[in-house]
Amino acid sequence: MASRDVVLQGHLLDSLLLSKILDEISAAGARAEVRHMVVGIEARDESTVALHIDAESSAVLQQVMARLAHHGFPGGMANPPEASLRLTPADGVFPEGFYSTTNLPTEVYHRGQWWPVDPIEMDCGLCLRADEGGFVCCPISKVRAGEAVVVGVTGIAVQPSQRHDAGEAFAFMSSMASTEQPKAARIRAVAQGMRACHAQDREILWVVGPAVIHTGGGNALERLVHDGWVDCMYTGNALAVHDIEEALYHTALGRDTATDRPVDGGHCHHLRAINRIRAVGSIASACDMGLLTRGVMHACHVRNVRTVIAGSIRDDGPLPETLTDILVAQDAMRDGLERVRFCVMVAT
């Protein structure tokens, strides 16, 4: 027999999470006994449950602990074991069984203490780097041979998602959207979230796709940029190209944006737009010399909005600012996220 005491803390009852955990422990072939419980009185209060888990073997217990780690609880076990570390065999290769990160706040128990991982990023590994102050998230492309990487789920504590009141903006944004539902409440919630973000002196990141331009939303987005509601923008070559096409030729995908009618020769307007920008060297140069006088990209230049334009295999051109190396584009997106508190994603 193998056994372990664990302490779970969070919104365990109102979310039915405790019932789910107990079912999963039973399904794994183990038994859980509730030794102590403190139940939150109000909706915002957390509950605490101390469990004693008995399993037929260490392997079964490890499976149970993996499920608990999946749901995640700060502090985790009453007497946490150390995280397991293994050296990477080569550049760009994690050891087998490496711990794959989530996007939730994470800590690693190492040498008798919990080490917070900050910033956290999902789908990475956890590398021990003393020169960076402890454990860091490392994409697989950046790990180097001989680095110590966490394997398994032992010694990992993941903080569960916070419960939000039904009236908060998150409640709107986490529910299903439909074209048949009124949008005023959702839009109002997003606007309130943006105002709250700026009230905290934090930044708003927009992730936008070319449909914004194709569907006639470019003017609205341009106004939002000029009014200071866009602090960072992550997009692709397509949005930038069609935004510049609309600014120069009043078309998007070759159709007149005012009448939605096809224009003779309009199918090549996006290529002509790319060519004109490439001829002067950059979008910034086109703005400074008066070639580009309006549009989303022009507004971003005028307002000094940090913009990342990532490339794809389908891109025409591309524009000079487009980052065609996906790893370079990923790093550019990671940089400067410390001040971002709110993200608006408008894409197809």
Side-chain angles (χ1 to χ4, degrees), residues 11-87:
H11 293 282
L12 305 172
L13 303 181
D14 50 4
S15 64
L16 303 180
L17 182 57
L18 180 59
S19 297
K20 184 175 182 179
I21 287 173
L22 294 175
D23 286 343
E24 292 182 359
I25 292 174
S26 178
R31 186 176 69 87
E33 177 184 342
V34 177
R35 293 283 178 88
H36 181 71
M37 176 183 290
V38 177
V39 178
I41 298 175
E42 299 183 3
R44 64 175 180 272
D45 295 335
E46 295 184 341
S47 300
T48 301
V49 177
L51 296 178
H52 178 78
I53 301 174
D54 288 318
E56 297 177 355
S57 65
S58 297
V60 172
L61 183 60
Q62 181 74 2
Q63 182 180 351
V64 170
M65 297 311 298
R67 294 309 304 163
L68 291 178
H70 173 76
H71 294 295
F73 298 93
M77 293 153 280
N79 298 297
E82 296 269 328
S84 298
L85 303 178
R86 193 174 299 165
L87 299 182

Side-chain angles (χ1 to χ4, degrees), residues 10-311:
H11 293 282
L12 305 172
L13 303 181
D14 50 4
S15 64
L16 303 180
L17 182 57
L18 180 59
S19 297
K20 184 175 182 179
I21 287 173
L22 294 175
D23 286 343
E24 292 182 359
I25 292 174
S26 178
R31 186 176 69 87
E33 177 184 342
V34 177
R35 293 283 178 88
H36 181 71
M37 176 183 290
V38 177
V39 178
I41 298 175
E42 299 183 3
R44 64 175 180 272
D45 295 335
E46 295 184 341
S47 300
T48 301
V49 177
L51 296 178
H52 178 78
I53 301 174
D54 288 318
E56 297 177 355
S57 65
S58 297
V60 172
L61 183 60
Q62 181 74 2
Q63 182 180 351
V64 170
M65 297 311 298
R67 294 309 304 163
L68 291 178
H70 173 76
H71 294 295
F73 298 93
M77 293 153 280
N79 298 297
E82 296 269 328
S84 298
L85 303 178
R86 193 174 299 165
L87 299 182
T88 54
D91 289 353
V93 181
F94 285 138
E96 284 293 320
F98 70 93
Y99 175 78
S100 180
T101 57
T102 69
N103 64 334
L104 299 174
T106 300
E107 294 180 293
V108 182
Y109 197 71
H110 178 65
R111 294 184 177 177
Q113 70 178 83
W114 288 103
W115 299 75
V117 182
D118 185 35
I120 189 66
E121 180 180 337
M122 68 184 299
D123 298 333
C124 292
L126 293 175
C127 296
L128 177 58
R129 292 178 178 170
D131 59 333
E132 297 184 41
F135 289 88
V136 299
C137 266
C138 182
I140 194 169
S141 62
K142 290 187 174 298
V143 74
R144 296 295 173 255
E147 288 198 272
V149 172
V150 176
V151 294
V153 298
T154 300
I156 301 292
V158 181
Q159 182 177 319
S161 298
Q162 295 299 308
R163 182 181 184 274
H164 296 283
D165 294 334
E168 293 187 11
F170 289 101
F172 289 97
M173 289 178 271
S174 62
S175 58
M176 292 296 291
S178 169
T179 56
E180 297 178 354
Q181 294 175 343
K183 299 299 184 293
R186 295 175 182 272
I187 294 170
R188 189 178 301 113
V190 174
Q192 290 171 349
M194 292 169 64
R195 293 190 186 101
C197 176
H198 275 184
Q200 298 170 15
D201 194 29
R202 301 293 290 273
E203 294 183 344
I204 301 169
L205 165 66
W206 285 70
V207 181
V208 290
V212 172
I213 307 300
H214 304 158
T215 56
N219 290 337
L221 181 56
E222 181 183 357
R223 290 199 303 274
L224 285 166
V225 175
H226 277 303
D227 289 346
W229 294 107
V230 180
D231 302 302
C232 315
M233 181 179 292
Y234 293 172
T235 189
N237 187 72
L239 176 130
V241 166
H242 292 293
D243 170 67
I244 294 170
E245 173 195 349
E246 203 284 327
L248 296 178
Y249 300 103
H250 306 288
T251 63
L253 289 176
R255 303 181 71 89
D256 188 294
T257 52
T259 65
D260 193 34
R261 294 176 179 173
V263 176
D264 288 343
H267 67 282
C268 64
H269 280 182
H270 71 289
L271 290 173
R272 299 191 187 284
I274 293 169
N275 192 59
R276 295 184 72 178
I277 299 300
R278 290 173 69 93
V280 298
S282 67
I283 298 172
S285 296
C287 295
D288 291 339
M289 66 190 304
L291 172 63
L292 194 61
T293 59
R294 64 182 186 88
V296 175
M297 302 313 298
H298 176 266
C300 287
H301 175 73
V302 171
R303 293 284 304 186
N304 198 30
V305 171
R306 190 175 73 86
T307 305
V308 177
I309 305 175

